[in-house]
Amino acid sequence: MRPLTEEETKTLFQKLAEYMGRSVERLINRSDERHCFRLIKDRVYYVSESVMKASTSINKDNLLGCGTCLGKFTKSGKFRLHITALDYLSQYTKYKVWLKPSAEMSFLYGNNVIKSGLARITESTPQYAGVVVYNLADIPLGFGVAAQTTDACKELDPTGNVVLHQADVGEYLRGLEEDMF
């Protein structure tokens, strides 16, 4: 377990800023306890400083994880968010999309959100912005990238893509956990 380098930190914050905007600094400077980011085998973990200090007594070969896994760095150096980051993304997200009940299962099976399944969308959502997808009961289901602006969604064909799928809570059930943990 080691701290992130300056380049890794910059890449991580750029990815988180796509979804959270300026709220990224709230992750580190929390009122309850300070938190930090640590790297274990190409995976980035969000961990409180007290847990991090306690984990230093564990041999690095035996330490599988510590805190919440936010994502991993790919071989090319890019950062990919995992579904385990959804709790933090949903707290601080700028742009939200709500699905109709008929479209929830399609999204949870890994499909993109089409206009006919869209219930609501945050006003002034730009194209290619990171969005968190909710059901009508305000339960976060996953996240993705806005394929259209809010204004473009109004004139869109009912089968046109509104949100491009990135991750959803159905990944836990589909057996993709070997990539997550």
Side-chain angles (χ1 to χ4, degrees):
M1 179 168 66
R2 68 167 176 83
L4 275 64
T5 64
E6 192 171 321
E7 187 64 32
E8 290 169 340
T9 304
K10 181 181 173 188
T11 304
L12 171 67
F13 282 178
Q14 284 175 343
K15 180 59 95 170
L16 290 175
E18 290 178 21
Y19 292 90
M20 302 170 138
R22 296 181 148 276
S23 300
V24 174
E25 58 189 55
R26 286 193 210 167
L27 286 176
I28 300 169
N29 300 325
R30 291 175 46 164
S31 59
D32 55 347
E33 186 179 4
R34 288 188 53 88
H35 283 66
C36 57
F37 299 101
R38 289 293 184 253
L39 189 75
I40 304 172
K41 299 177 185 168
D42 293 331
R43 304 226 186 298
V44 175
Y45 290 87
Y46 179 63
V47 60
S48 68
E49 287 189 353
S50 62
V51 172
M52 183 203 51
K53 288 176 184 173
S55 69
T56 57
S57 64
I58 300 171
N59 185 352
K60 70 176 186 173
D61 295 330
N62 295 335
L63 185 64
L64 296 176
C66 182
T68 303
C69 180
L70 292 182
K72 71 174 189 173
F73 283 101
T74 62
K75 300 283 187 208
S76 63
K78 295 180 181 170
F79 185 73
R80 178 170 164 80
L81 283 170
H82 286 173
I83 189 61
T84 50
L86 182 62
D87 288 338
Y88 298 106
L89 292 178
S90 63
Q91 288 177 24
Y92 303 115
T93 188
K94 290 170 51 177
Y95 305 111
K96 301 177 182 182
V97 169
W98 289 267
L99 297 182
K100 293 178 182 175
S102 60
E104 287 179 27
M105 287 307 293
S106 176
F107 181 74
L108 293 176
Y109 283 128
N111 298 318
N112 296 332
V113 176
I114 58 174
K115 186 186 179 215
S116 64
L118 182 68
R120 293 187 318 224
I121 186 169
T122 306
E123 284 298 316
S124 70
T125 301
Q127 189 174 18
Y128 306 123
V131 295
V132 175
V133 179
Y134 294 86
N135 65 5
L136 289 178
D138 279 337
I139 298 171
L141 301 175
F143 54 89
V145 176
Q148 308 290 334
T149 63
T150 304
D151 296 332
C153 288
K154 294 173 184 168
E155 293 92 34
L156 193 63
D157 182 50
T159 59
N161 286 332
V162 176
V163 176
L164 304 175
H165 178 274
Q166 296 283 315
D168 63 80
V169 293
E171 290 178 9
Y172 290 115
L173 301 175
R174 290 197 304 269
L176 302 176
E177 62 272 351
E178 67 271 354
D179 188 44
M180 281 189 276
F181 304 112

